[in-house]
Amino acid sequence: MNTENNHNENKNKNDIMQSVLEKIKAGDIRMRSKSFFVGKMVVIIIVALMILLTSAFFVSFISFSLRASGRLILLGFGWQGLKAFILTFPWGLFLIDLVLLVILERLLRSFKFGYRSPLIYLLGGVFVVVILAGLAIDEETSLHAAVWHAERSGGAPGFFLGSLYDNVRQPPHDEGLFRGTVVFMGIATPGGPAFLILKSDDQDSDIDDAATTSLVWKVILPPNLNSANSVDVGIGDQIFVAGDVLPDGVHAYGIEKVPNVNTF
Amino acid sequence: MLETEENSAEPETVALSDEEVALLVQHGDKDKFAVLMERYEKKLLRYGRKFLSDKENVTDAVQEVFIKTYQGIKSFDPDQRFSPWIYRIAHNMFVNAIKKNSRNPVSFIDFDTLVAHPTYDDTAPADREQKEMRVLIDRGLAGLPPNYREIIVLYYLEELSYKEIADILRVPIGTVGIRLKRAKEFLKKQLPERAKDFE
């Protein structure tokens, strides 16, 4: 039995060797050139870098849109603000970014440093690099402001890129976030609380629509604020207001002046 | 003239390492490829038989491994070891064969590679453990999941180190240790059931 097994094994070996050597001699299989493999590695590196840059761009855009629309300030308004922030966060874009990071991680596994690292460290490292790069792009450059201006004047590169910037500065009114100019300040009376009248204007909206650009809101201040002065705003100031929309107006739980960086 | 088993083992070739032979092939000495096949055919057939469940595909799979090895020989870095490199090609080929033929393909997500595991000492298994494991392997390997089966084969039958196995499977070295530990436990647990089959 052992002799028969050995014979079969040797036969298999000879068949395999002969078959492969015949194919080599006939030219049916050829060595790929070194430049093929070098080229393949170069392509992987280029694709990885492109994914990294695209991912960082998306992160920077998310950061920019949160600032420009005022959603970032919601984080300073307690649990209500946090809830509104979570509801208005651009999760779709975030998910696309995560998919890009997963693809990038698979590409990095082509390299020794990639597969020798546990997945969580590799993904975590890539995530941190992308976040830092994205924030740096947003905070240190005026890339998004420039693209936004170009999109407004019809010169944004590419359909997708232009559509990304549609309404980027528009606060989500449905979630109770508004931006406008204070046009009137009312003090508290025995009959009612202090309030502001807020008016949106052309600078506030991306939509060239009179119905939207001429919106006016009555902002009712919280009971602990007996005048608009106590929130350190004055007539003519541009402010963000976070509040619950009720029939008698917006009941504010957070007010913040619009930072200069938002005016571009 | 095709190189055959009888005349490929010239004295000067026998003295050459796998890496030196591969370098010669890279520089155009196609006949020397027979030397590499001669050295690795038996090992890869054994690896394939233990790893794949369908034994009839092993010969085809090993032949494909050599074809891929020849085609990709110029991507091999002669400063590295040849053995993990060819085993890596074999691993990919066998995994693809399992995926094609199996109803339960190899999992896309490898949970063993998610976090860092303590690096176990990669000491060569003692003779006694080696003998015990070979008995268990012969009796119980078929019932193991593919990723456990493979690591047992590579460590105990092919006698590769943790580092070499990590390079073949493209996983962290700690993962090799933890997977081997789990594979041995799985195999030992299976043994009572397998022992009944032989009664």
Side-chain angles (χ1 to χ4, degrees), chain A residues 13 17 32 115 119-120, chain B residues 41 71 113-114 167 170:
Chain A
K13 279 172 64 174
M17 277 181 66
R32 290 202 173 106
Y115 66 75
L119 187 63
I120 277 183
Chain B
E41 197 164 359
Q71 287 174 326
T113 65
L114 272 178
D167 285 336
R170 294 261 168 109

Side-chain angles (χ1 to χ4, degrees), chain A residues 66-242:
Chain A
L66 290 176
R67 281 192 304 105
S69 63
R71 283 174 286 178
L72 201 60
I73 62 150
L74 289 169
L75 293 175
F77 294 157
W79 286 112
Q80 260 184 301
L82 179 64
K83 183 184 152 196
F85 178 83
I86 289 168
L87 286 172
T88 59
F89 190 85
W91 293 110
L93 210 53
F94 180 73
L95 230 71
I96 291 172
D97 217 18
L98 275 184
V99 167
L100 286 176
L101 290 184
V102 169
I103 296 170
L104 180 60
E105 180 267 332
R106 301 302 292 188
L107 287 175
L108 290 178
R109 287 191 167 268
S110 306
F111 305 96
K112 227 174 219 180
F113 75 86
Y115 66 75
R116 286 255 177 107
S117 312
L119 187 63
I120 277 183
Y121 292 178
L122 188 65
L123 262 180
V126 163
F127 189 72
V128 166
V129 166
V130 160
I131 295 286
L132 290 177
L135 291 177
I137 291 170
D138 181 35
E139 285 170 26
E140 305 299 326
T141 74
S142 54
L143 168 71
H144 294 295
V147 177
W148 180 80
H149 280 296
E151 192 264 338
R152 292 270 283 171
S153 53
F159 170 76
F160 171 70
L161 203 59
S163 63
L164 203 61
Y165 288 81
D166 283 348
N167 306 320
V168 71
R169 291 183 76 243
Q170 181 75 25
H173 296 161
D174 291 347
E175 295 303 330
L177 186 62
F178 305 86
R179 177 178 57 226
T181 304
V182 179
V183 295
F184 183 81
M185 290 158 54
I187 58 168
T189 63
F195 65 94
L196 310 169
I197 301 294
L198 198 67
K199 184 179 182 295
S200 66
D201 58 38
D202 280 344
Q203 295 302 315
D204 294 343
S205 175
D206 296 326
I207 305 169
D208 293 321
D209 175 353
T212 306
T213 56
S214 60
L215 287 174
V216 174
W217 302 285
K218 182 181 180 185
V219 177
I220 295 159
L221 301 181
N224 55 321
L225 299 172
N226 54 15
S227 79
N229 287 330
S230 50
V231 293
D232 194 26
V233 298
I235 290 177
D237 283 345
Q238 266 215 323
I239 61 171
F240 284 116
V241 171

